Amino acid sequence: MPKVATTSGRSALRRNQACLSCRKRKLKCDAARPHCGTCVKQWQALISVPPPVGYAHPTEPQCSYDPIEGLPIAPDVDPPERIRMLEEQISQLKSQLQEQRSFGSRSTSPTRLYSRNGFSSVISTSEMSPTGRTPDDSPTGGRHIIPQAAYDMMHQVPGPGDSPESQFRGSSGSPELRQSGSSAGDPLLDLICTGWDPDLPNPDVLNHYIDIFFRCDPCGARVLHRPSFIASMQRHPKDPIFPHPAILHAICASASRWASHDLVTSPDGTRRDRFAEIHVSKTRAYIDRTMATGVDIFPVMQACILLSWFFYQEGRWVEVWIFAGFQTRVAVPLRLNYPGTYSAAQGANSPGAFLAPPSSPRDRELRRRTWWMTIMFDRIVSVGGWLHGVEEKDIGTEFPLRGIDFEQDANIEPNPQDLATPDVFVKHPPQYTDSFLLFLKAVMLFGRVTDYNTRTYLRQKTAPSPKDNPYICRSFQELDRLVYNNFSESFPPEFRHLGVGDDGTLDTDLYMAHIVPHAATITLHNAFINFADSSSVSTQRCIHATRQILNAYSRLSATSLDITRLHPFVTICWYLAAVIQVQLCKYFIEMNDTARESTVWGEINMLRFAMLTFGSRSPIGVRQEKLLQGLMTEIVRMTSQMQPLEVGVPLYPFSHERVFAQSQERTGAPLPGTSQSFAEALTSSPPTQPGAPGAPLPMSPTSVPAPAYNGWGMRNVSESPPAYSVADMHTRPVMMSSHISYPGGH
């Protein structure tokens, strides 16, 4: 049969005119430039779907052609004809290049290509890559290919001393190099001449993010020495002192929480920042490369710590747990758990020694802080009862120096305390104590509670019962005394306040050092809460800890300070306090005590409001509030309150009016039986043998103050309300759930 004539006016493509991608996959190609229609359609279909976590779609279609454009390579062209055509093209390129050289012939000698703040350097173009590092240093393996003509064009760039317009910084704030007679530089030339990593923001923007990171981030900034880091940013990008790109990418991701607004909300409500995700993927690329090669292992580990804290603040629990384990496993071969962060007994040539001895006191302190931030992260993410990556007995590293001594490079002896030091949690040498070290000790003390719970109940077939007496175990008594009051009461006088200054300052570390022990107390005693037992010391401990956390939040909310600047671990403390309040609310519902139930609802909603406020900056707050709502399902169903989730909630932020006003006679929320205090109940109980169920502790228990409330549910710390009591709670037994759901479902 005769072939049907095509109706398309498009002429058939010659051989090798189709793009490489279509030829490889044997697809139809229209040879359109710069990208063919087939590749464009496939790219549009690809970017219409959100990328997986940690990856990014290509910015343009992956469509390329043969290097020699416009040369018809057809079977009917003989070799001499092809040679002649190639020679003609070479001649044309030479003439064009000569014209460009004559146009900008002011500089024919090696040019000082980078200048910023008085620093200049001569760069060999044969050794330069667009990222400012050798191809082997790039996590992408040096994919960028720069044509030779671009290197020749570098001679057209004037030196930094010619005129103010020729300097590295342009008036627009972006990297800019000007040619003679031209108003704007070539972006490709900018990258070549400055050696700047094109994946990073321009220097001005990056310096802005670095400043925000050091001022606002309460977590990862501890592992970096700010003065030397800022000074190293003034060096050339190829200088060995210049910060590692992985650290810079991690800083950009962390600082985006305060500086970026490029948010994308997925259908399930998850928020992601485009800018942050780009730099998260870049940091991960360096981490993956280091895992395979071991190159730059210490700076990449520092970047990994910054990224881990970013994941924690974002509430990305799976990545948090994976990175916590990864960091502890990497830090051990680096010998960071040894005194001085180096095993002098085994030496640098021993098997497994990846790092040489510290080169300076600053280097040693950087390693200490890197180690302790790794251990702190491991303890914080394990508060739900998960095993720690490194046990206490395997930690020989001294505690770090004070922050002021670290920043000033003070030539002082290392901290004499480590975890093996006797009474390390109750003795704080003044020259080695600041708010961060107290916070670090508080977190390590919380870690001991986690270790006790996981090891004590690991092989038990049944969960602990509220009727059990944990004080028969001496280790429990010692841990309880240490967590409940000994640690907090041992603070030096200048650190016994909450860190909330009247001048508008907030010491985040000191604030956390005061409330973390109360959260640890709740974790230690929650399984033994029994509101039906008037002599339940665990009940008294948990109520007291909850009141202290609420009092601390009331003190902070009475100011105009931004609570989103707190350490993200504060949301876990608020959550643990709210868990106790949920159990107390259920008891009041069972007792049909609507007045006290309403007051407890106000306290619960106050903590929920705190989590949601923190969630406006860090998604961990929103996630904790959702987890709390899951625990509240039963009491929401049981309550007689019309709108229980709105009791005590402010009409708007910083409002002093409430949605549902309460009567003045209900300003306090005493527990049932206010006629007898908790201490009186203990003293009036029949004498029992020490260690027996119901026996009092060998210490004097204190009564727990009840809060007074202002107009919208916040306690007035200046008032002196009556004392709480649980003396008569045995009148109606109520079994409460002793299980706490922790972040990530653990």
Side-chain angles (χ1 to χ4, degrees):
M1 295 180 62
K3 294 183 179 180
V4 179
T6 178
T7 59
S8 173
R10 186 184 66 182
S11 59
L13 298 179
R14 295 183 180 181
R15 185 178 182 182
N16 294 336
Q17 280 191 324
C19 72
L20 298 178
S21 179
C22 291
R23 267 192 275 165
K24 182 178 180 180
R25 293 182 291 179
K26 297 182 179 180
L27 300 176
K28 290 184 179 181
C29 182
D30 57 8
R33 302 303 174 95
H35 309 299
C36 71
T38 302
C39 291
V40 169
K41 291 180 181 179
Q42 292 180 347
W43 175 72
Q44 291 174 343
L46 177 65
I47 65 175
S48 64
V49 180
V53 177
Y55 295 90
H57 289 317
T59 57
E60 61 181 12
Q62 302 299 302
C63 181
S64 60
Y65 292 87
D66 288 326
I68 305 177
E69 301 181 4
L71 179 63
I73 304 178
D76 56 344
V77 179
D78 54 353
E81 181 65 16
R82 293 175 59 188
I83 293 175
R84 185 188 64 80
M85 299 177 65
L86 288 173
E87 290 176 345
E88 290 180 356
Q89 285 198 345
I90 292 174
S91 177
Q92 293 176 1
L93 291 175
K94 283 183 177 180
S95 61
Q96 293 176 4
L97 183 58
Q98 186 63 30
E99 292 176 0
Q100 292 178 352
R101 284 181 174 176
S102 61
F103 178 77
S105 59
R106 291 203 308 167
S107 175
T108 57
S109 59
T111 308
R112 293 184 182 271
L113 301 173
Y114 181 87
S115 175
R116 183 168 59 191
N117 295 340
F119 175 80
S120 61
S121 176
V122 178
I123 306 174
S124 172
T125 58
S126 62
E127 300 175 354
M128 186 183 298
S129 71
T131 60
R133 295 180 180 265
T134 61
D136 292 337
D137 289 336
S138 172
T140 57
R143 296 176 299 173
H144 301 284
I145 301 175
I146 306 301
Q148 184 64 33
Y151 294 117
D152 296 331
M153 292 173 63
M154 290 171 59
H155 296 289
Q156 305 171 26
V157 182
D162 293 338
S163 65
E165 290 78 14
S166 63
Q167 296 298 321
F168 172 72
R169 303 305 313 167
S171 59
S172 62
S174 61
E176 187 173 339
L177 291 170
R178 302 178 185 272
Q179 294 183 12
S180 177
S182 176
S183 61
D186 189 339
L188 181 60
L189 278 178
D190 294 341
L191 297 178
I192 296 174
C193 297
T194 64
W196 192 260
D197 188 344
D199 293 330
L200 291 170
N202 70 66
D204 279 351
V205 175
L206 180 58
N207 287 331
H208 177 63
Y209 277 108
I210 292 173
D211 179 64
I212 291 176
F213 172 74
F214 279 111
R215 285 191 296 107
C216 300
D217 192 275
C219 304
R222 309 294 185 184
V223 303
L224 301 175
H225 184 251
R226 179 175 182 175
S228 62
F229 188 89
I230 298 299
S232 65
M233 285 298 299
Q234 310 304 319
R235 308 300 290 266
H236 188 275
K238 284 181 69 68
D239 193 306
I241 302 179
F242 192 78
H244 196 281
I247 296 179
L248 297 178
H249 285 299
I251 287 177
C252 288
S254 298
S256 66
R257 297 181 55 244
W258 292 275
S260 179
H261 303 282
D262 192 12
L263 293 175
V264 177
T265 304
S266 61
D268 61 351
T270 303
R271 299 182 305 175
R272 291 295 172 92
D273 188 303
R274 289 191 181 97
F275 177 84
E277 290 304 317
I278 290 174
H279 292 283
V280 165
S281 64
K282 296 297 181 182
T283 308
R284 278 181 155 174
Y286 281 102
I287 295 173
D288 293 341
R289 165 179 162 271
T290 299
M291 289 175 61
T293 64
V295 178
D296 300 330
I297 188 169
F298 184 71
V300 172
M301 182 183 176
Q302 289 180 308
C304 182
I305 292 175
L306 302 185
L307 190 62
S308 300
W309 284 108
F310 169 77
F311 287 147
Y312 182 74
Q313 295 174 99
E314 293 293 303
R316 295 160 65 163
W317 301 121
V318 175
E319 292 161 302
V320 164
W321 186 247
I322 292 175
F323 269 70
F326 170 75
Q327 288 172 195
T328 54
R329 300 308 299 169
V330 171
V332 170
L334 299 185
R335 304 292 172 85
L336 300 182
N337 61 317
Y338 281 79
T341 66
Y342 174 72
S343 176
Q346 298 181 354
N349 296 324
S350 63
F354 286 92
L355 293 180
S359 58
S360 64
R362 180 196 298 171
D363 185 23
R364 183 181 293 108
E365 184 64 16
L366 280 172
R367 296 187 185 187
R368 284 197 195 101
R369 287 178 169 262
T370 299
W371 167 258
W372 281 113
M373 288 304 295
T374 298
I375 297 302
M376 176 184 284
F377 185 76
D378 176 62
R379 263 51 183 178
I380 284 179
V381 302
S382 303
V383 296
W386 289 353
L387 297 175
H388 295 142
V390 179
E391 296 186 21
E392 265 195 25
K393 61 183 180 181
D394 298 325
I395 301 176
T397 312
E398 312 91 348
F399 282 117
L401 300 177
R402 296 185 304 174
I404 186 173
D405 295 330
F406 174 52
E407 288 201 356
Q408 295 179 355
D409 282 332
N411 187 17
I412 63 175
E413 294 295 323
N415 195 322
Q417 288 191 323
D418 56 33
L419 288 177
T421 304
D423 298 328
V424 64
F425 291 107
V426 294
K427 292 183 179 179
H428 315 288
Q431 65 273 28
Y432 296 101
T433 300
D434 62 5
S435 56
F436 171 68
L437 285 164
L438 292 175
F439 177 35
L440 175 59
K441 289 183 178 181
V443 172
M444 297 307 297
L445 188 56
F446 203 136
R448 284 194 176 183
V449 173
T450 303
D451 287 336
Y452 177 84
N453 288 341
T454 54
R455 291 169 182 170
T456 301
Y457 310 122
L458 178 63
R459 291 179 173 85
Q460 289 190 3
K461 296 182 179 180
T462 59
S465 169
K467 297 182 180 180
D468 296 338
N469 179 27
Y471 288 98
I472 60 176
C473 180
R474 181 175 297 274
S475 59
F476 183 92
Q477 295 183 31
E478 295 175 354
L479 187 58
D480 172 64
R481 286 195 294 267
L482 188 61
V483 173
Y484 178 63
N485 56 5
N486 288 0
F487 173 68
S488 299
E489 292 178 357
S490 67
F491 282 13
E494 62 271 23
F495 296 105
R496 291 184 180 177
H497 59 90
L498 279 175
V500 182
D502 296 330
D503 56 350
T505 60
L506 173 63
D507 189 339
T508 298
D509 293 330
L510 186 56
Y511 187 89
M512 295 299 301
H514 279 277
I515 69 171
V516 167
H518 300 303
T521 299
I522 294 174
T523 303
L524 182 64
H525 286 275
N526 180 73
F528 307 102
I529 291 180
N530 185 4
F531 291 106
D533 184 5
S534 62
S535 61
S536 174
V537 179
S538 292
T539 303
Q540 183 267 340
R541 291 283 196 265
C542 289
I543 292 176
H544 175 266
T546 299
R547 293 300 160 201
Q548 294 302 315
I549 294 175
L550 287 167
N551 285 336
Y553 176 71
S554 294
R555 175 70 179 89
L556 184 60
S557 63
T559 68
S560 59
L561 295 172
D562 184 6
I563 69 170
T564 62
R565 297 292 181 89
L566 291 172
H567 195 284
F569 189 45
V570 72
T571 60
I572 309 299
C573 300
W574 291 338
Y575 171 81
L576 292 174
V579 168
I580 302 302
Q581 294 300 90
V582 168
Q583 299 183 36
L584 183 60
C585 184
K586 180 180 178 182
Y587 177 81
F588 285 141
I589 293 175
E590 294 283 348
M591 295 291 294
N592 198 25
D593 192 337
T594 57
R596 294 167 182 170
E597 175 201 345
S598 175
T599 302
V600 175
W601 272 114
E603 295 174 338
I604 295 174
N605 291 330
M606 179 174 64
L607 294 171
R608 289 180 52 241
F609 181 75
M611 296 179 196
L612 293 175
T613 303
F614 194 90
S616 64
R617 181 83 65 182
S618 178
I620 187 177
V622 177
R623 293 178 181 271
Q624 287 302 115
E625 196 274 338
K626 288 183 179 180
L627 191 61
L628 178 63
Q629 285 202 24
L631 293 178
M632 295 167 54
T633 303
E634 184 178 7
I635 61 173
V636 170
R637 178 181 55 82
M638 295 171 57
T639 185
S640 60
Q641 299 287 330
M642 296 298 296
Q643 294 176 303
L645 299 182
E646 296 183 8
V647 176
V649 176
L651 291 170
Y652 49 87
F654 306 108
S655 170
H656 293 282
E657 297 297 332
R658 302 184 50 188
V659 178
F660 299 100
Q662 294 184 351
S663 60
Q664 295 297 325
E665 57 269 14
R666 271 196 284 128
T667 56
L671 295 179
T674 55
S675 59
Q676 186 180 22
S677 67
F678 188 84
E680 294 171 348
L682 288 179
T683 56
S684 62
S685 302
T688 54
Q689 296 295 328
L697 282 175
M699 64 180 74
S700 58
T702 57
S703 60
V704 187
Y709 289 85
N710 59 19
W712 56 287
M714 299 300 183
R715 286 181 308 283
N716 299 320
V717 295
S718 60
E719 298 184 16
S720 256
Y724 264 29
S725 171
V726 291
D728 297 331
M729 285 188 175
H730 62 281
T731 56
R732 186 175 181 183
V734 177
M735 298 303 295
M736 305 296 297
S737 172
S738 62
H739 175 70
I740 298 181
S741 298
Y742 285 87
H746 60 285

